[in-house]
Amino acid sequence: MSRASALGSLELDRVIHEKSRLMILTYLASSDSPHTPFTELRDALSMTAGNLSIQLKNLDEAGYLEIDKSFRHKKPNTNLRLTVSGRQALELYMIELEVILASVRKTPQEGK
C-alpha cells in the first residue's frame, strides 16, 4: 500500500479530534485513579465548567466515558471514568496519528 493510499484510508475519529475532547480523554487515560472528579479535570485542563460540561456530554454520548453524578455532604459531586470503548477509540486515534507522523518523517525534505 502506498503512502498516499495509507493516508487516504485514515478515518480520524471526529469526536476525539476536537482539541478539548482529546485533552479530556488523554487526561483520563493517563490518570492513576479509575475515577476523576469534574473539578480536578476542569482545573487541570484550564477549562470553564460550561465548556467542560458540553465536551463531556459529547464524549458520554459517544460512549467514551461515564459520568457519575451524586451528592456528597449535600453538594453535587461528579466523577468521570474512561470506558473500555473510549480507551480503544483513543488508542486507534493515536495509531492513526502515528501513521501520519511516520509519513511526514519519511518524506524527503525539500532543498536538500
Side-chain angles (χ1 to χ4, degrees), residues 17-102:
H17 197 61
E18 199 284 327
K19 178 185 172 189
S20 296
R21 293 189 290 264
L22 176 59
M23 291 184 342
I24 291 166
L25 290 178
T26 302
Y27 189 89
L28 294 176
S30 64
S31 176
D32 292 333
S33 174
H35 297 278
T36 302
F38 177 91
T39 52
E40 175 186 327
L41 189 60
R42 179 199 64 206
D43 295 345
L45 300 180
S46 299
M47 296 177 73
T48 65
N51 186 27
L52 180 57
S53 293
I54 290 168
Q55 302 308 333
L56 292 174
K57 180 179 181 246
N58 289 326
L59 291 167
D60 181 42
E61 288 174 353
Y64 293 168
L65 61 81
E66 290 181 356
I67 301 171
D68 178 36
K69 294 185 177 197
S70 62
F71 283 89
R72 177 176 278 172
H73 307 292
K74 298 185 182 182
K75 290 185 179 182
N77 184 42
T78 303
N79 285 296
L80 311 158
R81 184 180 72 79
L82 190 62
T83 63
V84 171
S85 62
R87 186 171 300 279
Q88 291 170 342
L90 181 59
E91 288 174 8
L92 177 59
Y93 182 84
M94 291 187 302
I95 289 168
E96 290 182 330
L97 287 180
E98 289 171 355
V99 169
I100 293 169
L101 292 173

